[in-house]
Amino acid sequence: MHDPRDSVPLTVIGGYLGAGKTTVINSLLREPGGRRLGVVVNDFGSLAIDAALLGGASEGLVSLPNGCVCCTLGGDLQSALASLMDAASPPDQIVIEVSGVADPAATAAWGTVPPFMPGGVIVLADASTVRKRSRDRYVGGEILRQLEGADLIILTKSDLTSTDELAETEEWVDGVAGDVPRLVAAHGDVPTDIVLGVRAGHSRPIGADPIAHSDRYVQWSWSVDRSIDAARLARFIDELPDTVLRAKGLVKVGPATVSHVEVVGRRRYVSPWKGAVPHRSEMVVIGLRGVLDIAELSGLADRALG
């Protein structure tokens, strides 16, 4: 059984039909980044799960060799989540793939219900078709609501568009949801740490030096061996630039009190950490290379955190 002291991040992946949700889910299942991942999907059929494993599925639940667990929605999200949490090895994080016409922000409300915590709303949009589909009299309104309710927008299938078409689509997204950070992906290539966030203990603290996350991403870390005043921490989080795609931190705000910081695009979450008190206060930030200003982050940390 899951320890009720722990909070499990719940991430929702949405986007209209054909946006690439299943491709991203398959990628996460192949490379969960050391996490025990729980995934809720509408149907196993579209996932790259071995038929022999599906044959052993029990009541819509299948356990994968890498520790991940998949569950079909079956029309009852509460039952699906309960099945995952009651598994022999409960997940470290849960991802819900919602249907193409669903409101992912509404589903994300489950992230406020114990034992879960918000893990962000990631909305995918096909860069080659989203503008045209947004004008559809039947589904256009829902597509716009999905984008407006996102914490992070990923424009997929950029490899199927021309440079000019992609630029026009990005400008259009700015008009629809200009305050929502976005990134552009080709061939379904979206790093796990962007979709799911930085895993605790996953990154080596390196002060304020950037390190390569991939050719397109850069990571900045901050680490001190002391507590930080809660008001100063709040100031740092509030002043984080919009170019931050993901951030995670465990920051001591007292001798035995720790704040758990999660940033998903435009959303900032701070909650009490109920696990073991870490030896150091640490923060990890990820953004696009050439867009995330490392010097700005370092200066902000010096001013706000000392």
Side-chain angles (χ1 to χ4, degrees):
M1 298 293 292
H2 181 261
D3 187 338
R5 295 175 301 172
D6 299 331
S7 295
V8 176
L10 192 151
T11 299
V12 178
I13 295 180
Y16 189 63
L17 300 170
K21 298 187 297 296
T22 301
T23 299
V24 170
I25 295 292
N26 280 326
S27 176
L28 296 176
L29 288 173
R30 287 193 301 269
E31 298 291 341
R35 303 167 180 82
R36 290 192 309 277
L37 197 62
V39 176
V40 179
V41 295
N42 289 300
D43 182 14
F44 285 140
S46 59
L47 295 180
I49 299 177
D50 187 274
L53 292 174
L54 286 176
S58 174
E59 298 182 356
L61 187 72
V62 58
S63 296
L64 304 182
N66 62 1
C68 296
V69 183
C70 288
C71 186
T72 54
L73 186 56
D76 188 344
L77 180 57
Q78 184 174 4
S79 294
L81 293 174
S83 295
L84 290 174
M85 298 309 296
D86 289 340
S89 297
D92 301 316
Q93 184 161 351
I94 289 178
V95 174
I96 301 174
E97 178 193 9
V98 297
S99 72
V101 294
D103 180 359
T107 301
W110 280 95
T112 63
V113 178
F116 307 112
M117 62 172 289
V121 176
I122 314 296
V123 173
L124 311 184
D126 183 339
S128 64
T129 65
V130 66
R131 284 184 293 158
K132 179 179 179 180
R133 286 178 165 175
S134 72
R135 297 190 293 270
D136 186 280
R137 61 184 295 186
Y138 299 107
V139 301
E142 187 55 50
I143 290 173
L144 295 176
R145 281 191 292 274
Q146 289 176 353
L147 295 173
E148 292 166 355
D151 295 326
L152 178 66
I153 295 171
I154 301 178
L155 286 176
T156 61
K157 305 185 182 182
S158 63
D159 49 300
L160 302 181
T161 67
S162 67
T163 301
D164 289 343
E165 183 181 8
L166 180 59
E168 291 171 0
T169 299
E170 290 194 79
E171 184 177 357
W172 176 83
V173 171
D174 281 343
V176 172
D179 62 335
V180 181
R182 69 169 185 274
L183 59 89
V184 176
H187 307 288
D189 177 23
V190 180
T192 300
D193 282 353
I194 297 295
V195 178
L196 300 181
V198 184
R199 182 166 54 91
H202 182 53
S203 298
R204 176 176 58 88
I206 52 171
D209 297 324
I211 64 173
H213 186 70
S214 77
D215 290 341
R216 291 184 294 155
Y217 304 97
V218 65
Q219 177 176 291
W220 172 91
S221 297
W222 165 87
S223 177
V224 296
D225 59 359
R226 56 181 171 81
S227 298
I228 299 297
D229 178 75
R232 292 166 69 89
L233 174 63
R235 175 186 170 190
F236 174 78
I237 296 169
D238 288 343
E239 294 182 356
L240 283 174
D242 293 339
T243 51
V244 171
L245 298 177
R246 274 285 191 177
K248 183 183 183 71
L250 290 179
V251 181
K252 294 192 290 185
V253 293
T257 306
V258 179
S259 287
H260 177 192
V261 178
E262 287 278 0
V263 175
V264 189
R266 63 175 175 172
R267 304 291 185 189
R268 275 79 164 139
Y269 305 109
V270 181
S271 59
W273 176 252
K274 298 179 182 179
V277 176
H279 297 297
R280 302 177 65 85
S281 295
E282 298 180 352
M283 185 84 63
V284 181
V285 175
I286 298 175
L288 290 171
R289 183 178 296 280
V291 177
L292 182 66
D293 190 329
I294 297 299
E296 179 184 7
L297 280 176
S298 299
L300 177 60
D302 288 343
R303 293 192 303 273
L305 303 177

